[in-house]
Amino acid sequence: SQTIHQWPATLVQPVGSPLSLECTVEGTSNPNLYWYRQAAGRGLQLLFYSVGIGQISSEVPQNLSASRPQDRQFILSSKKLLLSDSGFYLCAWTKTTEFTYEQYFGPGTRLTVT
Amino acid sequence: KQEVTQIPAALSVPEGENLVLNCSFTDSAIYNLQWFRQDPGKGLTSLLLIQSSQREQTSGRLNASLDKSSGRSTLYIAASQPGDSATYLCAVRRSSNTGKLIFGQGTTLQVKP
C-alpha cells in the first residue's frame, strides 16, 4: 500500500529564517506530487506540482520554491520566511488506476512564522 | 476560470439526522470530483470520488451525487453521528494529466449528541 509522509509536523520559525519542508511517498513510483497551503479560515491553495524529477510548476508567485530531487521526494523551501507564510502545508500525490486519478494527502505541517 | 462553492459554510445537527452538503462548480468540463473529510489539524481523507460519467457513488452511510450539466454535487450523510463532525471539502479535477484540483471552502459539520 502507498503511504505519504511529511515532516516536521509542526514548526515555529522567526521572520527571515530559511524553511525546508519534506514530503515522501512510499509504495509507488513516478507519482504526480503537489504542495498546498491552507491559511486560517481559507481554502486550499495549490502552490506547486511536479510530474517528475526536476520538473516543477508554480501556481502562484510567492516567497516559496519547490524541488524534487528524487522520484518520491518533494521539498518546499524558502530562503527568508515572511509572516504571511504561516499556515498549514499539505503534500499530496495522485494515485493512478486503470479507471481514474485520485488524490491523497499527507498529514500536513503546521508552520507558524513569528 | 473554475470556481467551486460549498454551502452552507457551517452546519449543526442533532445526532441521527440525515443531512446534505452542497457543492457547486462553474465549469462543467471536469474529469472527476472528490469529496474529502478534514479533522482539525489533520490532513485530508478522501471519502468518495465520482467520475464525470457517473451519477453517484456510495460508501457506507455516505452517498455522493453528481449533476455535471448543472455544475452540482451533493454529499448525503445518513444517520449522522458525533464522529462525523469535521470539515467536508469538495474538489474538482479538470483534466487527467496534471491532476490539479480546485477546492471549495468547505462545510464544517457539527453533530451534537
Side-chain angles (χ1 to χ4, degrees), chain A residues 1 12 18 22 25 27 38-39 43-44 46-47 56 68 73 76 80-81 84 88 92 94 100 102 105-106:
Chain A
S1 65
V12 180
E22 189 165 343
V25 181
Q38 188 175 37
L44 273 80
L46 178 63
L47 303 176
I56 309 295
R68 186 168 176 176
Q73 184 184 33
L76 185 68
K80 289 184 178 181
L81 284 169
S84 57
F88 192 49
T94 296
T100 193
E102 187 168 2
F105 283 79

Side-chain angles (χ1 to χ4, degrees), chain B residues 93-104:
Chain B
R93 178 188 297 257
R94 177 172 176 80
S95 64
S96 61
N97 53 1
T98 61
K100 292 183 284 185
L101 298 186
I102 307 298
F103 281 84

Side-chain angles (χ1 to χ4, degrees), chain A residues 9-114:
Chain A
T10 61
L11 191 60
V12 180
Q13 293 283 95
V15 168
S17 63
L19 173 73
S20 181
L21 304 182
E22 189 165 343
C23 169
T24 60
V25 181
E26 296 179 353
T28 187
S29 60
N30 197 31
N32 285 359
L33 296 172
Y34 310 84
W35 279 112
Y36 290 86
R37 177 169 59 201
Q38 188 175 37
R42 300 175 64 180
L44 273 80
Q45 180 185 36
L46 178 63
L47 303 176
F48 301 95
Y49 70 92
S50 171
V51 299
I53 295 175
Q55 301 179 63
I56 309 295
S57 295
S58 174
E59 288 296 296
V60 293
Q62 57 205 321
N63 185 43
L64 303 169
S65 62
S67 62
R68 186 168 176 176
Q70 300 180 41
D71 181 44
R72 291 170 290 173
Q73 184 184 33
F74 204 21
I75 296 173
L76 185 68
S77 303
S78 174
K79 293 182 179 179
K80 289 184 178 181
L81 284 169
L82 307 172
L83 285 174
S84 57
D85 291 324
S86 293
F88 192 49
Y89 288 83
L90 290 156
C91 181
W93 72 284
T94 296
K95 179 177 182 178
T96 303
T97 69
E98 180 181 354
F99 305 106
T100 193
Y101 301 83
E102 187 168 2
Q103 196 148 109
Y104 291 89
F105 283 79
T109 295
R110 172 73 59 189
L111 171 65
T112 303
V113 182
T114 60

